[in-house]
């Protein structure tokens, strides 16, 4: 299938890999026929590769709702987004929809997806973040002209989703990996191990991703390796992560940190790319 350059991330996501695509390309297998991404987030690598067959998963149900709505109802989604205003009062009224669980559950999939896209485009720093109750809590960004309705990209992504064979799910990553067949390439981009006690950001879903989860993920990678399934994983270059994956090929890459509230603390940081193949 010919790649479409308009197929690109529709959401800004913490830890998004768009900036690292060119770094990743030499590290990928030469041929990818079937692809799996259990922590899809903004999907930068998925949209760059545009595989014909893919398993796309994220524990964040609202995120997967955005993708399935783009696939199934892009016209309705665009129409809904055109109703949204770049105004503080309107922003907070939409943000607060999830405070009323009964009301939120009554929303259509199109309304839920449009809300996430709108909040992502207009909230401060484009930061998708929820509190312990699972409620969106980023403040209004006060941007002059955010691109709330990126119609060409939404339509291009919808077209790709409909041409390819893509299975979307929202479940535990280990369940996804247990069903992967040999011949599938797996890219894992989990919430990162924090480089300091104050740097952790796991607010994309309630519950977080502590070190016990990092160990469980490494054990899942060990199982993939035993089954002869190629995987590539990204994480922060902490001593803990380096030790966890010491048996595999580790490449240290430079990435930009963009979410720190203190501007001087944004900049290049070391990340690791782990592979079980040469």
């Amino acid at each position: 299938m010919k790649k479409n350059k308009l197929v690109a991330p529709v959401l800004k996501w913490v830890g998004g890999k768009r900036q690292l695509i060119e770094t990743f390309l030499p590290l990928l297998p030469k041929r990818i026929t079937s692809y799996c991404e259990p922590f899809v987030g903004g999907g930068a690598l998925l949209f760059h590769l545009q595989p014909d067959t893919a398993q796309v998963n994220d524990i964040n149900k609202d995120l997967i709702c955005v993708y399935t709505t783009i696939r199934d109802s892009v016209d309705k989604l665009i129409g809904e987004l055109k109703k949204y205003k770049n105004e503080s009062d309107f922003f907070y009224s939409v943000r607060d929809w999830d405070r009323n669980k009964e009301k939120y559950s009554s929303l259509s999939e199109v309304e839920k997806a449009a809300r996430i896209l709108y909040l992502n485009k207009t909230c401060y720093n484009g930061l998708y973040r929820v509190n312990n109750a699972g409620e969106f809590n980023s403040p209004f960004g006060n941007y002059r002209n955010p691109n709330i309705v990126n119609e060409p990209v939404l339509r291009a992504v919808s077209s790709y989703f409909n041409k390819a064979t893509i299975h979307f799910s929202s479940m535990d990553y280990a369940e996804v990996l247990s069903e992967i067949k040999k011949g599938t390439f797996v890219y894992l981009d989990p919430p990162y191990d924090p480089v300091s006690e104050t740097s952790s950001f796991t607010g994309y879903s309630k519950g977080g991703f502590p070190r016990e989860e990092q160990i469980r993920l490494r054990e899942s990678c060990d199982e993939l390796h035993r089954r002869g399934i190629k995987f590539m994983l990204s994480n922060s270059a902490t001593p803990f992560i380096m030790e966890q994956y010491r048996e595999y090929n580790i490449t240290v890459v430079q990435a930009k940190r963009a979410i720190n509230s203190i501007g001087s603390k944004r900049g290049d940081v070391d990340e690791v790319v782990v592979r079980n193949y040469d």
Side-chain angles (χ1 to χ4, degrees):
M1 187 166 62
K2 187 178 179 181
K3 290 204 289 187
N4 182 345
K5 291 182 179 179
L6 283 174
V7 175
V10 297
L11 291 161
K12 184 177 180 183
W13 209 253
V14 172
K17 292 299 178 290
R18 204 167 188 172
Q19 55 161 315
L20 286 172
I21 292 297
E22 292 304 315
T23 302
F24 282 177
L25 292 182
L27 302 176
L28 295 170
K30 289 184 172 57
R31 188 165 176 265
I32 299 172
T33 54
S34 179
Y35 179 81
C36 174
E37 194 163 350
F39 306 89
V40 70
L45 188 57
L46 168 73
F47 292 135
H48 179 84
L49 295 174
Q50 296 173 39
D52 293 341
T53 304
Q55 167 79 40
V56 175
N57 180 79
D58 201 279
I59 197 68
N60 188 315
K61 289 182 169 59
D62 286 332
L63 174 63
I64 295 301
C65 173
V66 169
Y67 291 142
T68 55
T69 301
I70 290 171
R71 178 192 65 193
D72 300 335
S73 307
V74 71
D75 290 330
K76 290 181 180 178
L77 178 61
I78 290 168
E80 182 70 18
L81 279 169
K82 288 179 178 178
K83 302 175 186 176
Y84 287 71
K85 307 168 190 173
N86 182 37
E87 297 171 0
S88 178
D89 289 346
F90 185 82
F91 172 90
Y92 285 110
S93 69
V94 173
R95 194 189 77 164
D96 287 352
W97 286 359
D98 62 8
R99 273 62 172 172
N100 183 331
K101 305 305 179 190
E102 186 176 341
K103 177 183 177 180
Y104 188 75
S105 64
S106 70
L107 297 176
S108 69
E109 297 292 282
V110 169
E111 289 169 325
K112 289 178 181 177
R115 172 180 177 268
I116 294 300
L117 285 164
Y118 164 72
L119 293 176
N120 185 259
K121 298 293 185 183
T122 56
C123 74
Y124 179 71
N125 210 22
L127 184 62
Y128 185 98
R129 186 183 67 195
V130 298
N131 58 25
N132 288 334
E135 300 164 344
F136 193 96
N137 67 349
S138 292
F140 183 58
N142 203 30
Y143 300 117
R144 182 170 295 179
N145 190 28
N147 191 5
I148 296 172
V149 191
N150 194 343
E151 190 168 340
V153 169
L154 288 171
R155 291 196 181 281
V157 171
S158 179
S159 177
Y160 164 61
F161 284 168
N162 280 282
K163 288 177 182 176
T165 302
I166 301 180
H167 178 68
F168 291 97
S169 60
S170 182
M171 63 179 74
D172 181 74
Y173 65 85
E175 189 175 347
V176 176
L177 295 177
S178 69
E179 299 171 354
I180 295 301
K181 293 181 173 58
K182 193 170 181 179
T184 298
F185 170 67
V186 180
Y187 173 57
L188 301 134
D189 186 24
Y192 278 17
D193 185 50
V195 295
S196 70
E197 290 183 7
T198 58
S199 68
S200 178
F201 182 89
T202 53
Y204 79 107
S205 66
K206 59 182 179 178
F209 206 84
R211 283 194 165 173
E212 293 78 17
E213 281 299 315
Q214 298 287 359
I215 292 169
R216 188 166 74 98
L217 175 58
R218 193 263 305 150
E219 291 170 345
S220 292
C221 289
D222 291 344
E223 180 60 25
L224 288 177
H225 186 62
R226 280 192 289 272
R227 291 162 54 200
I229 294 171
K230 290 181 180 179
F231 73 82
M232 186 172 91
L233 174 140
S234 298
N235 213 315
S236 50
T238 62
F240 172 77
I241 292 298
M242 300 287 272
E243 173 64 19
Q244 286 297 311
Y245 293 97
R246 67 185 185 279
E247 301 296 330
Y248 297 103
N249 293 328
I250 295 178
T251 304
V252 177
V253 300
Q254 289 276 298
K256 298 278 186 193
R257 182 195 301 280
I259 67 169
N260 200 303
S261 60
I262 303 170
S264 62
K265 292 189 176 180
R266 300 176 190 170
D268 290 345
V269 295
D270 285 345
E271 295 188 2
V272 294
V273 177
V274 179
R275 295 173 296 152
N276 68 332
Y277 56 91
D278 293 326

